[in-house]
Amino acid sequence: MSQPARSPNEDAAARKATAYPALFRLAQDKKARWIKATVPLYGKQVKLWYQTIDALWYPSAGQQLLRIVVVHDPSGRRRDDCFFSLDLTISATQILEIFSRRWPLEVCFRDVKQFLGFEDPQNRVAKATTRTAPLIFFIYDLGLALVRPVGHQLAQKSSLERLWYPQKDSVSFEDILRTLRHATWQERIFSDPALDAHTRKILQPFVEWAKTLT
């Protein structure tokens, strides 16, 4: 007599019952069958090996089925890692790509905290909380919007050379703020037609000094 077909959750429960070895042990298993792929991650084409497992992980998702991706770098430069998704309709490579998109968000939060004082306000009223955070992110977006058309070229000129970072080849939010500050000072100080040449010569070093401020 044939057995009735089991649902995916029942299959996952069965796999759970077999006590999967620790996920990182799977990455170290020399007999494991890896899928080799090249995935666009963080703006680069990255070669990696991966395994996909659909299983239940009660401490993390309870009775909901998880898609688990175990990643191994054959070159050994990156550590073995695991990624999880509750969406079983997407592939393992899509999970990795989506996770890599978190990096711009992490950079955004770091920038608003370090350069725009996101953590400084001590709000005690609910309305203040709903106003302060959106305003800071609006200023962040406004800075990017102002520089985007042509300002990125000026930002490259305003970028400071760091002896410990010779490979820097892109514009940071700090460079953008420095560019906007320099342009604002130029406009406010030198747009006055009554300003004589001697005074302009005296003030110019102070305007250039704006580039070094953080």
Side-chain angles (χ1 to χ4, degrees):
M1 183 175 179
S2 60
Q3 296 292 331
R6 294 188 300 184
S7 67
N9 280 348
E10 290 174 334
D11 287 336
R15 290 197 293 272
K16 172 68 177 180
T18 60
Y20 263 117
L23 293 175
F24 287 112
R25 292 182 184 176
L26 291 176
Q28 299 169 1
D29 186 1
K30 297 181 180 180
K31 298 181 179 180
R33 295 183 179 180
W34 293 99
I35 300 175
K36 302 178 182 180
T38 301
V39 185
L41 302 176
Y42 307 105
K44 299 180 180 180
Q45 296 293 326
V46 179
K47 294 182 178 180
L48 51 82
W49 297 356
Y50 71 88
Q51 299 179 55
T52 305
I53 304 167
D54 291 343
L56 297 177
W57 195 318
Y58 297 118
S60 299
Q63 296 291 334
Q64 195 165 0
L65 196 60
L66 279 175
R67 175 153 293 172
I68 306 170
V69 184
V70 183
V71 179
H72 174 68
D73 180 8
S75 67
R77 289 180 295 181
R78 298 179 182 84
R79 67 174 186 178
D80 298 330
D81 213 337
C82 302
F83 301 87
F84 308 85
S85 175
L86 294 172
D87 188 351
L88 304 183
T89 65
I90 59 178
S91 65
T93 55
Q94 288 176 315
I95 293 174
L96 299 178
E97 290 179 42
I98 292 172
F99 183 83
S100 70
R101 295 173 194 165
R102 291 184 52 191
W103 178 247
L105 299 178
E106 299 291 345
V107 173
C108 171
F109 277 103
R110 179 262 186 189
D111 287 341
V112 296
K113 290 178 180 178
Q114 182 163 343
F115 299 112
L116 298 182
F118 185 75
E119 292 181 316
D120 294 344
Q122 298 181 6
N123 297 327
R124 299 183 180 181
V125 182
K127 288 185 177 180
T129 304
T130 59
R131 293 169 182 167
T132 304
L135 178 60
I136 292 177
F137 281 107
F138 174 77
I139 295 173
Y140 180 85
D141 292 339
L142 183 61
L144 297 180
L146 290 173
V147 173
R148 182 175 178 82
V150 294
H152 63 279
Q153 299 174 355
L154 298 175
Q156 291 178 348
K157 297 179 181 180
S158 298
S159 178
L160 299 179
E161 294 185 3
R162 311 287 189 182
L163 297 178
W164 57 89
Y165 195 9
Q167 71 273 24
K168 182 177 184 295
D169 58 359
S170 59
V171 175
S172 66
F173 186 67
E174 181 183 1
D175 297 328
I176 292 173
L177 287 181
R178 188 178 295 110
T179 301
L180 294 175
R181 186 186 303 113
H182 182 257
T184 302
W185 284 28
Q186 287 274 13
E187 178 67 21
R188 289 184 176 180
I189 294 176
F190 297 116
S191 61
D192 185 1
L195 197 65
D196 60 84
H198 180 68
T199 305
R200 290 174 182 269
K201 184 177 181 180
I202 294 176
L203 293 177
Q204 187 61 44
F206 291 96
V207 176
E208 294 301 319
W209 177 64
K211 292 183 179 181
T212 63
L213 298 177
T214 55

